Amino acid sequence: MPIVALTNFASAIIATATAFLIRQRLLTENREMTDVLMRDFFKAFVSLAILFWLLALPGLFIRNILLASIPPRLATGMVLLTSAYFISTPLLILNKGQVRKILQLTAICMGILFIVIDFYFFKLSSVKTYGDFFYYAPSQLIFVRAITGAASLLSALASGLFFIAHGTRLDSRQLKTRSLLLGSGFLLFTTSSIFNYIVFSISFNTVALIAASTSGLLGMVLLGIGVIAYHPSEKRLV
């Protein structure tokens, strides 16, 4: 049974549903469709959904080791793009729009570059087992994995701390709760990055990957709840 793929599959469904919900609710007010913050938040969930689908597909539907080795290479670029879009929200609230643009452009360029590098130095994924469970472990260059992991970890940590600190200063109970939910979700993503990019890279322990995907799923649940509580009539997300 592909336990890591199953948790990523659940995260993919939640991320996809959340992105769809954001778009549907934004469409109820044309003003919100021009809101840069909300547009970036929507794009963040779209890229996150694509990322989780790329991580889930090999273990669930692909049994050919060559084909199963391809999606993780594409996921590298999505990690960078997702990280850039999520950190955009705190930057926009802090009126750092220029920094946001630079980070997004950098993420796009580096994502494309890393995908090209990953395919140029292409290696087949390896099949790892843990009892009755199995997963495909992609082979990546150390510096690509290190930079991708650092971007993921720093973006999630900064976003998590920002939303929690921001939430404690809000007067509206609903906005406060939502901000704290988003912050907690991002901190769980931070935990996921630590297990995936640090603990697993050092120990190559399957439990680390299971912990990473489980933390990611729990974080996705909190982010989804935070977004579901939003209604366009409030005029703001946080």
Side-chain angles (χ1 to χ4, degrees):
M1 182 180 295
I3 185 170
V4 174
L6 285 172
T7 51
N8 286 330
F9 178 70
S11 295
I13 292 177
I14 296 173
T16 302
T18 303
F20 177 79
L21 182 62
I22 292 175
R23 179 164 179 79
Q24 289 301 109
R25 289 189 173 180
L26 291 183
L27 287 173
T28 63
E29 287 196 10
N30 292 329
R31 183 195 70 82
E32 292 289 0
M33 285 306 295
T34 62
D35 189 294
V36 178
L37 187 151
M38 290 304 300
R39 192 165 61 242
D40 274 6
F41 209 65
F42 167 70
K43 290 178 181 177
F45 275 96
V46 170
S47 59
L48 185 63
I50 295 173
L51 170 61
F52 277 123
W53 282 116
L54 288 171
L55 294 176
L57 288 177
L60 291 178
F61 305 110
I62 303 175
R63 290 296 176 265
N64 182 289
I65 191 65
L66 175 61
L67 295 178
S69 302
I70 295 176
R73 270 69 189 174
L74 301 175
T76 298
M78 297 312 302
V79 169
L80 295 174
L81 190 60
T82 301
S83 300
Y85 276 131
F86 272 129
I87 198 64
S88 292
T89 302
L91 290 174
L92 285 170
I93 294 176
L94 295 172
N95 295 315
K96 301 293 183 181
Q98 193 62 34
V99 177
R100 159 190 163 272
K101 291 180 180 179
I102 294 174
L103 282 178
Q104 288 184 2
L105 181 60
T106 301
I108 292 173
C109 293
M110 290 187 66
I112 295 173
L113 176 63
F114 283 1
I115 289 174
V116 172
I117 291 174
D118 258 350
F119 275 103
Y120 184 80
F121 295 97
F122 186 85
K123 289 184 179 180
L124 294 177
S125 297
S126 56
V127 180
K128 304 292 184 182
T129 59
Y130 183 73
D132 294 329
F133 302 108
F134 76 91
Y135 65 94
Y136 292 111
S139 300
Q140 283 185 305
L141 295 176
I142 295 177
F143 84 92
V144 170
R145 183 170 175 79
I147 295 176
T148 305
S152 173
L153 195 156
L154 292 175
S155 173
L157 179 61
S159 298
L161 294 177
F162 171 82
F163 277 111
I164 288 177
H166 181 67
T168 58
R169 295 193 295 267
L170 294 172
D171 295 325
S172 168
R173 181 177 179 181
Q174 189 165 7
L175 290 176
K176 183 190 293 288
T177 300
R178 182 181 307 123
S179 191
L180 293 177
L181 282 169
L182 294 175
S184 299
F186 281 119
L187 289 183
L188 280 169
F189 275 1
T190 304
T191 303
S192 177
S193 295
I194 291 173
F195 277 118
N196 185 26
Y197 291 103
I198 298 178
V199 178
F200 179 73
S201 295
I202 294 174
S203 65
F204 296 100
N205 192 318
T206 302
V207 176
L209 276 187
I210 296 174
S213 60
T214 303
S215 299
L217 174 58
L218 293 175
M220 193 64 253
V221 169
L222 291 183
L223 290 179
I225 293 174
V227 171
I228 288 172
Y230 168 73
H231 192 277
S233 62
E234 297 176 66
K235 308 299 182 184
R236 57 186 289 192
L237 176 69
V238 290

